[in-house]
Amino acid sequence: MQFRKVAIGVTAAAMLAGSAQAAEQFIPVAAYWTGPYAAGGSAFGDGMADYYEFLNIRDGGINGVKLTYEKCETAYKTDRIVECYEKMKNNGPTGSPFYHPFSTGGTYAVFERAEADKIPIITIGYGRTDASDGRVFPYLFPALTNYWSQSTAKIKFIGSLEGGMEKLKGLKIANVHHDSAYGKETIPVLEEQAKKYGFEFRNFPVAHPGLDQKAIWLQIARQYRPDYVILRGWGVMNPTSLKEAARVRFPANKIVGVWWSGSEEDTRPAGDAAEGYYAAGYHGAGTDYPVIQWMMEHLYSKGKGSVDQDRLGTIYVNRAFAMAMVGTEAIRDAMKMVGENRPVTGPEVQAALEQLTFDKARLEKLGAVGLLPEFAMTCQDHEGGAPVRFLQWNNGAWTSASDWIETDQSIVRPMVEKSAAAYAAEKGITPRDCGA
């Protein structure tokens, strides 16, 4: 396991001094720089750390409080995700203000111990969907949009391709998914959507890491013959799926990927097989956003930062910046709520997350208009209601294929509350009164 402690803008001697240490906000960075999912993990870990470093260089941290971080290699393995959490949870003067597991399986493994430790778990675009009900899961935040919400936007997008939601009736959709907790997470909402709109779907699980898919795609193309394929892959599974689809002559423009199947690392290795392929996203692509230009000016142009500059503007790196903004803005709000510019604790950040709002004014201040959609979390709603946008891979780049599409909470929220209530009953939890 790899541990790297990085202090930014302070000397090693200052780090050891009690007065200086008291002005530092520690943030854990657990990700995977090795293994079949390293393309995503390396961007998440390095990109988030670079955003923290950017804030230190440009602003002196957050309200004068320097940010420090520690990187911990998880290799996308659940036991290591838990190990990294335990290793870093008490670091810094106030311990971890939050923790990103970067794995749905890891989220399930760590969230209960984190709640006992009063450390928020932030799972932007992944994790346990029913944790959107903050009354039952006070320390778990599947922020912006959860898996089930994404699925409703995805079916709306397919409906738009067909010319209307009524055209979904009678369609056949193949759900090619990673055979893991992450891959299976959307099956319940697909079942509900199939009932509502009258389409049929069949699951095609792909074993880790997803390099052997020949038999699956032969079955899809020659036996099932779907109208669309939903690709719910991760890492090397994604380009392999696109190549196998092309090999059996299933058109790429009939495949709609989830946001963990929609990066340059998924399409470039597939070459021509990816041309016309669609994928979901909860943030923008490219570098044409003020915040990324500021990072280039203050950080990358000076030879600082860990992300390879060739990766700037790519999906995974932009996602890392977006994730870092959510956490650091929660820290900023927590300082405001306690009335002091000092390192904040997990419970203080938890309270801040439950009122965190990314409206137009905040996005403009962050230089992130268009990079992120507006959203707002509450005690009851740990998701925030962000919409979803779809991209299409054309001529070696992602291009916009839709406006922001609102998710269908008439389907999602009742499912979230039912599942959360079942968890509460199983664990003997009395849901909090959020006053809503």
Side-chain angles (χ1 to χ4, degrees):
M1 180 169 295
Q2 175 189 15
F3 294 105
R4 285 189 280 171
K5 180 72 178 291
V6 181
I8 311 159
V10 294
T11 66
M15 285 178 59
L16 298 175
S19 59
Q21 191 176 50
E24 296 173 359
Q25 176 72 62
F26 173 76
I27 302 176
V29 180
Y32 28 100
W33 289 264
T34 62
Y37 310 109
S42 61
F44 305 148
D46 290 342
M48 293 183 76
D50 283 0
Y51 186 76
Y52 304 148
E53 188 166 0
F54 158 68
L55 290 181
N56 277 343
I57 292 172
R58 190 191 64 171
D59 303 337
I62 299 176
N63 297 328
V65 178
K66 295 282 187 180
L67 304 179
T68 64
Y69 62 85
E70 179 173 326
K71 291 181 177 179
C72 186
E73 170 67 55
T74 70
Y76 197 68
K77 294 182 177 178
T78 297
D79 58 342
R80 288 195 177 188
I81 291 168
V82 174
E83 189 177 344
C84 286
Y85 168 82
E86 291 291 341
K87 180 76 176 180
M88 299 188 289
K89 69 180 184 181
N90 294 319
N91 284 9
T94 56
S96 296
F98 51 75
Y99 185 73
H100 291 267
F102 286 121
S103 157
T104 294
T107 300
Y108 275 81
V110 81
F111 82 91
E112 289 179 331
R113 67 177 67 205
E115 181 174 339
D117 294 332
K118 298 189 182 306
I119 295 175
I121 299 296
I122 303 176
T123 60
I124 300 175
Y126 66 96
R128 181 168 181 147
T129 301
D130 59 4
S132 300
D133 191 341
R135 298 171 303 175
V136 176
F137 299 91
Y139 276 83
L140 188 49
F141 292 83
L144 273 74
T145 53
N146 62 43
Y147 282 148
W148 293 350
S149 293
Q150 177 190 201
S151 184
T152 64
K154 187 168 52 197
I155 295 303
K156 281 187 176 182
F157 178 67
I158 291 174
S160 71
L161 293 176
E162 287 294 300
M165 298 302 285
E166 70 280 4
K167 302 290 182 63
L168 293 172
K169 187 174 183 179
L171 291 188
K172 294 201 296 185
I173 298 175
N175 181 36
V176 179
H177 68 84
H178 196 274
D179 194 12
S180 62
Y182 147 67
K184 299 172 184 174
E185 187 78 12
T186 52
I187 292 174
V189 72
L190 278 172
E191 290 172 345
E192 291 300 313
Q193 290 173 292
K195 292 177 190 173
K196 180 173 181 177
Y197 296 113
F199 65 82
E200 160 190 327
F201 81 99
R202 184 180 298 176
N203 296 310
F204 293 87
V206 177
H208 160 85
L211 291 171
D212 184 8
Q213 301 182 39
K214 285 184 171 57
I216 288 172
W217 282 95
L218 281 173
Q219 185 180 3
I220 289 170
R222 296 183 182 177
Q223 296 178 21
Y224 189 53
R225 298 179 183 275
D227 298 284
Y228 288 91
V229 166
I230 292 172
L231 177 56
R232 190 169 176 78
W234 182 221
V236 296
M237 173 182 161
N238 293 321
T240 304
S241 291
L242 294 172
K243 290 177 183 176
E244 290 299 330
R247 192 175 65 83
V248 298
R249 300 184 182 282
F250 190 89
N253 65 1
K254 295 293 184 181
I255 305 176
V256 181
V258 302
W259 46 55
W260 300 115
S261 301
S263 73
E264 291 80 358
E265 286 81 358
D266 300 316
T267 48
R268 286 172 178 163
D272 292 342
E275 189 68 17
Y277 164 62
Y278 294 106
Y282 58 80
H283 57 80
T287 60
D288 192 20
Y289 306 100
V291 63
I292 297 179
Q293 294 299 315
W294 296 334
M295 293 183 72
M296 294 169 72
E297 175 189 352
H298 292 280
L299 191 72
Y300 297 113
S301 67
K302 297 178 180 178
K304 299 180 179 178
S306 300
V307 169
D308 188 328
Q309 292 196 37
D310 292 340
R311 300 187 76 183
L312 293 177
T314 62
I315 294 293
Y316 285 154
V317 172
N318 282 11
R319 188 165 300 169
F321 297 157
M323 290 176 172
M325 285 181 208
V326 172
T328 50
E329 289 306 294
I331 289 173
R332 191 184 308 278
D333 280 8
M335 290 181 187
K336 184 177 181 180
M337 291 170 72
V338 301
E340 297 180 64
N341 294 331
R342 59 162 173 79
V344 288
T345 65
E348 290 165 347
V349 172
Q350 186 267 350
L353 284 164
E354 291 195 330
Q355 56 79 65
L356 187 65
T357 299
F358 273 43
D359 56 12
K360 185 178 180 181
R362 188 186 289 249
L363 289 169
E364 287 179 343
K365 191 171 184 178
L366 289 169
V369 173
L371 178 62
L372 276 170
E374 297 183 28
F375 70 97
M377 292 188 287
T378 65
C379 168
Q380 185 166 348
D381 178 10
H382 281 196
E383 179 187 13
V388 179
R389 173 175 281 171
F390 289 82
L391 305 173
Q392 187 172 32
W393 187 252
N394 287 314
N395 300 316
W398 289 109
T399 58
S400 179
S402 77
D403 293 327
W404 290 106
I405 296 176
E406 296 294 333
T407 62
D408 189 346
Q409 291 304 305
S410 71
I411 295 176
V412 174
R413 189 66 195 186
M415 290 181 64
V416 163
E417 294 188 1
K418 181 179 179 180
S419 181
Y423 172 81
E426 175 189 347
K427 298 292 183 177
I429 296 170
T430 300
R432 294 183 299 161
D433 180 2
C434 287

